[in-house]
Amino acid sequence: MRALPLCLLALSLTGCSLLHKPYEPITAPEARPTATEPHARPVARPTPVKLYTDTTELLSNPFRDLGEVSGEDCQTSRQDSPPNINTARKRMQIRASYMKANAVLLHKCELVNESKGCYRQAICQGTALKVSGK
């Protein structure tokens, strides 16, 4: 009875050794043929958006109103860094660029205490504009 499991083990090992693959020498990584990888698409970057703070700057240029935009920066707890108005303004400009705007007319920026989900929050609001060149 002890011989039967040993014979089965020997047969199974012999069967695995019969599945022999031909020997291939190891080559350096530079010499290996590389598969062609699909080219990655370039990341779409937001276009630069000019910030107007005064409506008199827009009087000489024709423009089209694309809608309201806002940006915010949140301080979630007392231990986090304080909210930054410049960050909120930059986020507003990025959102305007996604609307294909090339300018933003800034209405207001303010710091708000105890807003929903934030300990303090910086909020900027404006209008996205498509300003035509002269």
Side-chain angles (χ1 to χ4, degrees), residues 7 14 22 33-34 44 46-47 57-58 60 67 86 90 94 99 103 114 120 129:
C7 289
T14 306
T34 58
T47 58
E57 299 174 53
L58 290 168
S60 61
N86 291 331
K90 188 68 174 174
I94 290 170
M99 297 170 67
E114 300 295 329
R120 285 180 50 197
L129 304 172

Side-chain angles (χ1 to χ4, degrees), residues 54-118:
D54 191 15
T55 56
T56 57
E57 299 174 53
L58 290 168
L59 291 178
S60 61
N61 297 331
F63 63 89
R64 191 175 72 192
D65 186 344
L66 298 177
E68 295 288 320
V69 287
S70 67
E72 56 273 334
D73 188 24
C74 180
Q75 177 185 3
T76 55
S77 68
R78 287 188 137 185
Q79 289 77 27
D80 290 342
S81 61
N84 190 340
I85 288 183
N86 291 331
T87 304
R89 189 179 303 133
K90 188 68 174 174
R91 288 179 181 167
M92 178 183 63
Q93 288 175 299
I94 290 170
R95 285 189 181 146
S97 73
Y98 290 139
M99 297 170 67
K100 307 289 187 218
N102 59 2
V104 172
L105 177 61
L106 180 66
H107 298 303
K108 66 177 177 177
C109 284
E110 62 184 358
L111 288 173
V112 179
N113 291 325
E114 300 295 329
S115 63
K116 185 176 182 181
C118 297

